[in-house]
Structures are given as C-alpha cells and as structure tokens.
Amino acid sequence: MSKRDDKPPRLDDGTRLEGSGQYAEAADLYAEILETHPDLFEAAFRLAKCWERLAQWTRAFDGWTRAAVWNDTRLESAIGRAEALRQAQCHRNALDAYEGALALESDHIFALAGKAESLRMIGLNEEALPWFDAALQKQPDHVFATRG
C-alpha cells in the first residue's frame, strides 16, 4: 500500500471526534497522525476541515494548502483556502484564491458567490453584481449568493 492508502487506525477516532463536535481534539489527533504519516491525504483534509469549523482561518488556510497537493481535492482545497481568507477579512487575497478556484471550475457556485462577496466587502459593488448574478443563475436559491 502507498502512504496515501495506508489508513492509520486512529484516523477513525478523529472522524468520531468530529462527529461529536470535538473539533479541537480531532485537530490535535490529525496533527499527530500527520507527524508520522505526512503524506496522508485524509488526515490533512480532515485537519483543514476542523480548523475551519473552529474558525481558525490561518490554520485552515495552511491545512487546505497542504491538502491541495493531491489532485482529487484541488478544487475543494482552493475553495477552502479562499473561504479561510475571506473569513479572516483578507478579501483582496481571497479574490485571488477564488479566481484560482474558478480557473479549475468556471461555474463553481461557492467560488462565484465568494468572489462576489469579497468584491462587495472591499467596496467594489458594481464589479460584484455580475458575479452574484452568475451564482444566482447557477443556483437561484443559494443563500450566500442572494443579494438583499
């Protein structure tokens, strides 16, 4: 088995901790697993998700960056990095990250809506409107994309 496919038994413990809302404990466990299995995609991916749930945006960004090295999560990792930057109020950097995600999938709903929201947050309301419209065209009832 490759390192990526070799799932340590404790990974399931982390998943159970997450399932019970113990994100900090799960994050600690995933970080510990990554010390001995640095190429284990699932631990890196789950760690980023935990940091996101704990609103630890810098750590979430780092986690998504680490998880992005595997092609099957490149888009989700790009969205995760962008969202972490947006939540940390780094809207100009989030714009770059959302554009990177849109380069991978040009009509991804979260990338469209996230780019629109970041543009709005830096005062570029007119520039944001077409992105909100694109998101709403893709999914008319999407709460994040709905303008008030």
Side-chain angles (χ1 to χ4, degrees), residues 3-4 8 11 43-44 60 81 84 92 96 105 113 120 124 129-131 136 141:
K3 282 186 179 181
R4 185 161 178 215
L11 197 57
R81 287 192 311 271
R92 292 191 186 277
D96 292 338
E105 185 177 316
R120 186 186 71 78
L124 299 175
L129 290 176
W131 295 101
L136 289 170
D141 61 345

Side-chain angles (χ1 to χ4, degrees), residues 45-101:
F45 180 82
R46 302 298 330 153
L47 179 60
K49 287 274 199 192
C50 286
W51 289 133
E52 191 173 88
R53 294 210 182 241
L54 292 165
Q56 297 289 319
W57 303 115
T58 301
R59 287 178 166 177
F61 177 83
D62 292 343
W64 286 118
T65 300
R66 184 175 189 170
V69 299
W70 293 284
N71 285 335
D72 58 344
T73 64
R74 222 168 113 204
L75 178 61
E76 189 164 353
S77 295
I79 297 294
R81 287 192 311 271
E83 180 63 12
L85 288 164
R86 188 181 67 78
Q87 291 291 340
Q89 306 297 311
C90 299
H91 296 291
R92 292 191 186 277
N93 292 335
L95 280 174
D96 292 338
Y98 283 121
E99 287 177 13

